[in-house]
mmCIF file of all heavy atoms in Angstrom:
data_model
loop_
_atom_site.group_PDB
_atom_site.id
_atom_site.type_symbol
_atom_site.label_atom_id
_atom_site.label_comp_id
_atom_site.label_asym_id
_atom_site.label_seq_id
_atom_site.Cartn_x
_atom_site.Cartn_y
_atom_site.Cartn_z
ATOM 1 N N ILE A 1 172.089 306.640 156.751
ATOM 2 C CA ILE A 1 170.692 306.649 157.221
ATOM 3 C C ILE A 1 169.866 307.556 156.315
ATOM 4 O O ILE A 1 168.773 307.184 155.877
ATOM 5 C CB ILE A 1 170.612 307.089 158.692
ATOM 6 C CG1 ILE A 1 171.217 306.009 159.589
ATOM 7 C CG2 ILE A 1 169.160 307.386 159.096
ATOM 8 C CD1 ILE A 1 171.499 306.447 161.012
ATOM 9 N N SER A 2 170.394 308.724 156.007
ATOM 10 C CA SER A 2 169.693 309.653 155.107
ATOM 11 C C SER A 2 169.454 309.013 153.749
ATOM 12 O O SER A 2 168.359 309.099 153.193
ATOM 13 C CB SER A 2 170.493 310.944 154.933
ATOM 14 O OG SER A 2 170.558 311.641 156.148
ATOM 15 N N SER A 3 170.465 308.356 153.227
ATOM 16 C CA SER A 3 170.355 307.720 151.915
ATOM 17 C C SER A 3 169.287 306.620 151.909
ATOM 18 O O SER A 3 168.472 306.538 150.983
ATOM 19 C CB SER A 3 171.716 307.149 151.520
ATOM 20 O OG SER A 3 171.630 306.497 150.279
ATOM 21 N N LEU A 4 169.273 305.786 152.941
ATOM 22 C CA LEU A 4 168.275 304.706 152.965
ATOM 23 C C LEU A 4 166.872 305.264 153.127
ATOM 24 O O LEU A 4 165.935 304.788 152.498
ATOM 25 C CB LEU A 4 168.625 303.649 154.021
ATOM 26 C CG LEU A 4 168.039 303.660 155.413
ATOM 27 C CD1 LEU A 4 166.682 302.991 155.449
ATOM 28 C CD2 LEU A 4 168.970 302.902 156.333
ATOM 29 N N CYS A 5 166.706 306.323 153.935
ATOM 30 C CA CYS A 5 165.388 306.933 154.102
ATOM 31 C C CYS A 5 164.907 307.562 152.805
ATOM 32 O O CYS A 5 163.743 307.416 152.430
ATOM 33 C CB CYS A 5 165.422 307.975 155.212
ATOM 34 S SG CYS A 5 165.652 307.277 156.856
ATOM 35 N N ARG A 6 165.802 308.238 152.105
ATOM 36 C CA ARG A 6 165.433 308.878 150.834
ATOM 37 C C ARG A 6 165.129 307.843 149.750
ATOM 38 O O ARG A 6 164.341 308.105 148.847
ATOM 39 C CB ARG A 6 166.535 309.821 150.364
ATOM 40 C CG ARG A 6 166.881 310.908 151.359
ATOM 41 C CD ARG A 6 166.088 312.176 151.148
ATOM 42 N NE ARG A 6 166.625 313.236 151.984
ATOM 43 C CZ ARG A 6 165.961 313.778 153.000
ATOM 44 N NH1 ARG A 6 164.752 313.361 153.299
ATOM 45 N NH2 ARG A 6 166.491 314.739 153.704
ATOM 46 N N ALA A 7 165.713 306.645 149.857
ATOM 47 C CA ALA A 7 165.406 305.570 148.901
ATOM 48 C C ALA A 7 163.971 305.088 149.083
ATOM 49 O O ALA A 7 163.342 304.617 148.136
ATOM 50 C CB ALA A 7 166.385 304.405 149.080
ATOM 51 N N ILE A 8 163.462 305.211 150.292
ATOM 52 C CA ILE A 8 162.087 304.798 150.584
ATOM 53 C C ILE A 8 161.114 305.924 150.263
ATOM 54 O O ILE A 8 160.069 305.719 149.654
ATOM 55 C CB ILE A 8 161.949 304.383 152.064
ATOM 56 C CG1 ILE A 8 162.854 303.176 152.349
ATOM 57 C CG2 ILE A 8 160.501 304.072 152.428
ATOM 58 C CD1 ILE A 8 163.061 302.891 153.829
ATOM 59 N N ASP A 9 161.456 307.148 150.702
ATOM 60 C CA ASP A 9 160.588 308.307 150.516
ATOM 61 C C ASP A 9 161.462 309.558 150.438
ATOM 62 O O ASP A 9 162.077 309.941 151.439
ATOM 63 C CB ASP A 9 159.611 308.421 151.685
ATOM 64 C CG ASP A 9 158.726 309.660 151.631
ATOM 65 O OD1 ASP A 9 158.830 310.452 150.671
ATOM 66 O OD2 ASP A 9 157.919 309.843 152.565
ATOM 67 N N PRO A 10 161.526 310.201 149.275
ATOM 68 C CA PRO A 10 162.379 311.386 149.135
ATOM 69 C C PRO A 10 162.032 312.520 150.100
ATOM 70 O O PRO A 10 162.848 313.375 150.371
ATOM 71 C CB PRO A 10 162.143 311.837 147.688
ATOM 72 C CG PRO A 10 161.587 310.647 146.991
ATOM 73 C CD PRO A 10 160.859 309.833 148.028
ATOM 74 N N ASN A 11 160.818 312.516 150.649
ATOM 75 C CA ASN A 11 160.381 313.566 151.570
ATOM 76 C C ASN A 11 160.377 313.119 153.029
ATOM 77 O O ASN A 11 159.779 313.782 153.878
ATOM 78 C CB ASN A 11 158.978 314.045 151.188
ATOM 79 C CG ASN A 11 158.960 314.623 149.795
ATOM 80 O OD1 ASN A 11 159.795 315.446 149.449
ATOM 81 N ND2 ASN A 11 158.028 314.168 148.974
ATOM 82 N N ASP A 12 161.029 312.023 153.342
ATOM 83 C CA ASP A 12 161.051 311.481 154.701
ATOM 84 C C ASP A 12 161.596 312.506 155.698
ATOM 85 O O ASP A 12 162.587 313.178 155.423
ATOM 86 C CB ASP A 12 161.920 310.216 154.725
ATOM 87 C CG ASP A 12 161.694 309.354 155.952
ATOM 88 O OD1 ASP A 12 161.139 309.844 156.959
ATOM 89 O OD2 ASP A 12 162.084 308.178 155.908
ATOM 90 N N TYR A 13 160.954 312.603 156.867
ATOM 91 C CA TYR A 13 161.396 313.520 157.917
ATOM 92 C C TYR A 13 162.593 312.983 158.702
ATOM 93 O O TYR A 13 163.306 313.742 159.374
ATOM 94 C CB TYR A 13 160.251 313.807 158.901
ATOM 95 C CG TYR A 13 159.930 312.647 159.820
ATOM 96 C CD1 TYR A 13 160.482 312.578 161.104
ATOM 97 C CD2 TYR A 13 159.089 311.612 159.421
ATOM 98 C CE1 TYR A 13 160.200 311.518 161.944
ATOM 99 C CE2 TYR A 13 158.808 310.556 160.250
ATOM 100 C CZ TYR A 13 159.359 310.509 161.511
ATOM 101 O OH TYR A 13 159.083 309.448 162.342
ATOM 102 N N VAL A 14 162.836 311.683 158.641
ATOM 103 C CA VAL A 14 163.846 311.054 159.497
ATOM 104 C C VAL A 14 165.261 311.607 159.296
ATOM 105 O O VAL A 14 165.948 311.852 160.288
ATOM 106 C CB VAL A 14 163.802 309.522 159.367
ATOM 107 C CG1 VAL A 14 164.967 308.865 160.099
ATOM 108 C CG2 VAL A 14 162.477 308.997 159.917
ATOM 109 N N PRO A 15 165.748 311.840 158.071
ATOM 110 C CA PRO A 15 167.117 312.357 157.956
ATOM 111 C C PRO A 15 167.347 313.645 158.753
ATOM 112 O O PRO A 15 168.400 313.826 159.354
ATOM 113 C CB PRO A 15 167.290 312.596 156.458
ATOM 114 C CG PRO A 15 166.403 311.572 155.835
ATOM 115 C CD PRO A 15 165.190 311.530 156.744
ATOM 116 N N ASN A 16 166.362 314.524 158.770
ATOM 117 C CA ASN A 16 166.502 315.761 159.536
ATOM 118 C C ASN A 16 166.326 315.531 161.035
ATOM 119 O O ASN A 16 167.008 316.158 161.846
ATOM 120 C CB ASN A 16 165.496 316.805 159.060
ATOM 121 C CG ASN A 16 165.793 317.261 157.650
ATOM 122 O OD1 ASN A 16 166.940 317.434 157.274
ATOM 123 N ND2 ASN A 16 164.756 317.438 156.858
ATOM 124 N N ALA A 17 165.423 314.652 161.401
ATOM 125 C CA ALA A 17 165.176 314.395 162.822
ATOM 126 C C ALA A 17 166.311 313.598 163.462
ATOM 127 O O ALA A 17 166.614 313.779 164.642
ATOM 128 C CB ALA A 17 163.856 313.639 162.983
ATOM 129 N N TRP A 18 166.937 312.714 162.699
ATOM 130 C CA TRP A 18 167.945 311.799 163.245
ATOM 131 C C TRP A 18 169.061 312.551 163.967
ATOM 132 O O TRP A 18 169.461 312.184 165.069
ATOM 133 C CB TRP A 18 168.514 310.907 162.145
ATOM 134 C CG TRP A 18 169.223 309.714 162.703
ATOM 135 C CD1 TRP A 18 170.566 309.611 162.982
ATOM 136 C CD2 TRP A 18 168.648 308.474 163.084
ATOM 137 N NE1 TRP A 18 170.843 308.371 163.504
ATOM 138 C CE2 TRP A 18 169.679 307.651 163.577
ATOM 139 C CE3 TRP A 18 167.351 307.963 163.050
ATOM 140 C CZ2 TRP A 18 169.458 306.364 164.028
ATOM 141 C CZ3 TRP A 18 167.144 306.675 163.499
ATOM 142 C CH2 TRP A 18 168.178 305.885 163.980
ATOM 143 N N ALA A 19 169.571 313.611 163.338
ATOM 144 C CA ALA A 19 170.656 314.390 163.956
ATOM 145 C C ALA A 19 170.199 314.992 165.279
ATOM 146 O O ALA A 19 170.954 314.998 166.263
ATOM 147 C CB ALA A 19 171.131 315.481 163.005
ATOM 148 N N THR A 20 168.964 315.471 165.331
ATOM 149 C CA THR A 20 168.413 316.034 166.569
ATOM 150 C C THR A 20 168.325 314.962 167.646
ATOM 151 O O THR A 20 168.688 315.195 168.797
ATOM 152 C CB THR A 20 167.015 316.641 166.305
ATOM 153 O OG1 THR A 20 167.130 317.624 165.280
ATOM 154 C CG2 THR A 20 166.421 317.255 167.552
ATOM 155 N N TRP A 21 167.851 313.783 167.271
ATOM 156 C CA TRP A 21 167.741 312.689 168.243
ATOM 157 C C TRP A 21 169.108 312.271 168.756
ATOM 158 O O TRP A 21 169.281 312.014 169.944
ATOM 159 C CB TRP A 21 167.033 311.489 167.624
ATOM 160 C CG TRP A 21 165.608 311.729 167.243
ATOM 161 C CD1 TRP A 21 164.729 312.605 167.812
ATOM 162 C CD2 TRP A 21 164.892 311.075 166.211
ATOM 163 N NE1 TRP A 21 163.519 312.536 167.181
ATOM 164 C CE2 TRP A 21 163.586 311.606 166.196
ATOM 165 C CE3 TRP A 21 165.229 310.091 165.278
ATOM 166 C CZ2 TRP A 21 162.608 311.179 165.310
ATOM 167 C CZ3 TRP A 21 164.253 309.671 164.388
ATOM 168 C CH2 TRP A 21 162.959 310.202 164.413
ATOM 169 N N MET A 22 170.069 312.184 167.860
ATOM 170 C CA MET A 22 171.429 311.791 168.274
ATOM 171 C C MET A 22 172.007 312.826 169.240
ATOM 172 O O MET A 22 172.593 312.470 170.257
ATOM 173 C CB MET A 22 172.351 311.649 167.056
ATOM 174 C CG MET A 22 172.080 310.442 166.187
ATOM 175 S SD MET A 22 172.515 308.861 166.932
ATOM 176 C CE MET A 22 174.301 308.969 166.975
ATOM 177 N N GLU A 23 171.833 314.079 168.913
ATOM 178 C CA GLU A 23 172.378 315.157 169.730
ATOM 179 C C GLU A 23 171.720 315.193 171.110
ATOM 180 O O GLU A 23 172.393 315.418 172.115
ATOM 181 C CB GLU A 23 172.166 316.497 169.021
ATOM 182 C CG GLU A 23 172.856 317.661 169.681
ATOM 183 C CD GLU A 23 172.668 318.930 168.875
ATOM 184 O OE1 GLU A 23 173.076 318.946 167.698
ATOM 185 O OE2 GLU A 23 172.098 319.894 169.428
ATOM 186 N N ALA A 24 170.411 314.968 171.153
ATOM 187 C CA ALA A 24 169.687 315.006 172.430
ATOM 188 C C ALA A 24 170.145 313.894 173.364
ATOM 189 O O ALA A 24 170.197 314.071 174.577
ATOM 190 C CB ALA A 24 168.188 314.925 172.185
ATOM 191 N N GLY A 25 170.457 312.732 172.799
ATOM 192 C CA GLY A 25 170.978 311.627 173.592
ATOM 193 C C GLY A 25 170.009 311.001 174.567
ATOM 194 O O GLY A 25 170.413 310.232 175.433
ATOM 195 N N LYS A 26 168.713 311.287 174.447
ATOM 196 C CA LYS A 26 167.726 310.733 175.375
ATOM 197 C C LYS A 26 167.193 309.386 174.925
ATOM 198 O O LYS A 26 166.678 308.629 175.724
ATOM 199 C CB LYS A 26 166.537 311.685 175.520
ATOM 200 C CG LYS A 26 166.883 313.019 176.106
ATOM 201 C CD LYS A 26 165.669 313.887 176.375
ATOM 202 C CE LYS A 26 164.605 313.818 175.307
ATOM 203 N NZ LYS A 26 163.476 314.691 175.495
ATOM 204 N N GLY A 27 167.289 309.120 173.661
ATOM 205 C CA GLY A 27 166.650 307.935 173.119
ATOM 206 C C GLY A 27 167.615 306.846 172.729
ATOM 207 O O GLY A 27 168.798 306.862 173.080
ATOM 208 N N ILE A 28 167.076 305.902 171.995
ATOM 209 C CA ILE A 28 167.834 304.757 171.509
ATOM 210 C C ILE A 28 167.824 304.829 169.990
ATOM 211 O O ILE A 28 166.771 304.716 169.359
ATOM 212 C CB ILE A 28 167.183 303.440 171.982
ATOM 213 C CG1 ILE A 28 167.102 303.413 173.494
ATOM 214 C CG2 ILE A 28 167.939 302.243 171.433
ATOM 215 C CD1 ILE A 28 166.091 302.420 174.031
ATOM 216 N N ASN A 29 168.971 305.094 169.414
ATOM 217 C CA ASN A 29 169.126 305.156 167.960
ATOM 218 C C ASN A 29 169.842 303.879 167.534
ATOM 219 O O ASN A 29 170.994 303.677 167.893
ATOM 220 C CB ASN A 29 169.976 306.360 167.555
ATOM 221 C CG ASN A 29 169.373 307.681 167.963
ATOM 222 O OD1 ASN A 29 169.288 307.986 169.146
ATOM 223 N ND2 ASN A 29 168.967 308.459 167.000
ATOM 224 N N LEU A 30 169.145 303.040 166.788
ATOM 225 C CA LEU A 30 169.726 301.774 166.346
ATOM 226 C C LEU A 30 169.859 301.737 164.829
ATOM 227 O O LEU A 30 169.060 302.342 164.116
ATOM 228 C CB LEU A 30 168.851 300.596 166.779
ATOM 229 C CG LEU A 30 168.651 300.377 168.272
ATOM 230 C CD1 LEU A 30 167.710 299.195 168.505
ATOM 231 C CD2 LEU A 30 169.974 300.163 168.977
ATOM 232 N N VAL A 31 170.862 301.008 164.370
ATOM 233 C CA VAL A 31 170.999 300.736 162.938
ATOM 234 C C VAL A 31 171.200 299.241 162.741
ATOM 235 O O VAL A 31 171.683 298.539 163.634
ATOM 236 C CB VAL A 31 172.171 301.506 162.278
ATOM 237 C CG1 VAL A 31 171.918 302.997 162.301
ATOM 238 C CG2 VAL A 31 173.489 301.161 162.885
ATOM 239 N N ALA A 32 170.804 298.786 161.559
ATOM 240 C CA ALA A 32 171.113 297.429 161.112
ATOM 241 C C ALA A 32 172.232 297.590 160.096
ATOM 242 O O ALA A 32 172.127 298.402 159.174
ATOM 243 C CB ALA A 32 169.889 296.787 160.468
ATOM 244 N N GLN A 33 173.291 296.838 160.278
ATOM 245 C CA GLN A 33 174.451 296.948 159.393
ATOM 246 C C GLN A 33 174.736 295.601 158.749
ATOM 247 O O GLN A 33 174.846 294.585 159.426
ATOM 248 C CB GLN A 33 175.674 297.410 160.187
ATOM 249 C CG GLN A 33 176.905 297.578 159.341
ATOM 250 C CD GLN A 33 178.082 298.116 160.153
ATOM 251 O OE1 GLN A 33 177.897 298.826 161.127
ATOM 252 N NE2 GLN A 33 179.279 297.763 159.742
ATOM 253 N N SER A 34 174.842 295.621 157.434
ATOM 254 C CA SER A 34 175.199 294.437 156.664
ATOM 255 C C SER A 34 176.497 294.763 155.940
ATOM 256 O O SER A 34 176.520 295.646 155.082
ATOM 257 C CB SER A 34 174.085 294.093 155.677
ATOM 258 O OG SER A 34 174.426 292.960 154.937
ATOM 259 N N GLY A 35 177.572 294.081 156.311
ATOM 260 C CA GLY A 35 178.883 294.439 155.771
ATOM 261 C C GLY A 35 179.237 295.822 156.262
ATOM 262 O O GLY A 35 179.148 296.120 157.438
ATOM 263 N N ASP A 36 179.563 296.712 155.342
ATOM 264 C CA ASP A 36 179.896 298.084 155.750
ATOM 265 C C ASP A 36 178.749 299.049 155.450
ATOM 266 O O ASP A 36 178.912 300.254 155.485
ATOM 267 C CB ASP A 36 181.178 298.558 155.058
ATOM 268 C CG ASP A 36 181.072 298.561 153.541
ATOM 269 O OD1 ASP A 36 180.057 298.071 152.997
ATOM 270 O OD2 ASP A 36 182.018 299.049 152.892
ATOM 271 N N ARG A 37 177.552 298.508 155.188
ATOM 272 C CA ARG A 37 176.407 299.316 154.786
ATOM 273 C C ARG A 37 175.293 299.304 155.831
ATOM 274 O O ARG A 37 174.903 298.256 156.327
ATOM 275 C CB ARG A 37 175.868 298.758 153.472
ATOM 276 C CG ARG A 37 174.781 299.585 152.872
ATOM 277 C CD ARG A 37 174.402 299.024 151.535
ATOM 278 N NE ARG A 37 172.957 298.814 151.573
ATOM 279 C CZ ARG A 37 172.288 298.127 150.701
ATOM 280 N NH1 ARG A 37 172.903 297.512 149.727
ATOM 281 N NH2 ARG A 37 170.998 298.004 150.791
ATOM 282 N N VAL A 38 174.770 300.481 156.160
ATOM 283 C CA VAL A 38 173.595 300.599 157.021
ATOM 284 C C VAL A 38 172.379 300.279 156.166
ATOM 285 O O VAL A 38 172.140 300.924 155.149
ATOM 286 C CB VAL A 38 173.477 302.010 157.640
ATOM 287 C CG1 VAL A 38 172.143 302.186 158.346
ATOM 288 C CG2 VAL A 38 174.629 302.266 158.605
ATOM 289 N N CYS A 39 171.627 299.257 156.563
ATOM 290 C CA CYS A 39 170.464 298.839 155.760
ATOM 291 C C CYS A 39 169.148 299.020 156.506
ATOM 292 O O CYS A 39 168.093 298.680 155.990
ATOM 293 C CB CYS A 39 170.635 297.402 155.297
ATOM 294 S SG CYS A 39 170.785 296.196 156.612
ATOM 295 N N GLY A 40 169.204 299.555 157.729
ATOM 296 C CA GLY A 40 167.984 299.798 158.481
ATOM 297 C C GLY A 40 168.269 300.693 159.673
ATOM 298 O O GLY A 40 169.418 300.848 160.092
ATOM 299 N N CYS A 41 167.208 301.292 160.202
ATOM 300 C CA CYS A 41 167.351 302.125 161.394
ATOM 301 C C CYS A 41 166.033 302.128 162.159
ATOM 302 O O CYS A 41 164.983 301.791 161.618
ATOM 303 C CB CYS A 41 167.768 303.552 161.033
ATOM 304 S SG CYS A 41 166.562 304.474 160.060
ATOM 305 N N ALA A 42 166.110 302.510 163.424
ATOM 306 C CA ALA A 42 164.926 302.639 164.275
ATOM 307 C C ALA A 42 165.284 303.554 165.438
ATOM 308 O O ALA A 42 166.445 303.633 165.848
ATOM 309 C CB ALA A 42 164.468 301.286 164.797
#
């Protein structure tokens, strides 16, 4: 997820926020997976 976000914008806030969201467990963290690669997130 960090790698795909940095490919779009090297200063993206999502890589840092994602871990917080996962840990909090209140939301819905989704990924799109193609083969063994994550190609999207929301």
Side-chain angles (χ1 to χ4, degrees):
I1 291 166
S2 294
S3 178
L4 96 84
C5 291
R6 302 268 189 247
I8 298 166
D9 176 1
N11 299 311
D12 197 342
Y13 73 96
V14 172
N16 293 321
W18 197 267
T20 303
W21 295 332
M22 288 290 291
E23 188 177 301
K26 297 186 320 184
I28 302 161
N29 299 68
L30 298 178
V31 294
Q33 181 177 331
S34 180
D36 60 353
R37 186 175 126 193
V38 171
C39 60
C41 64

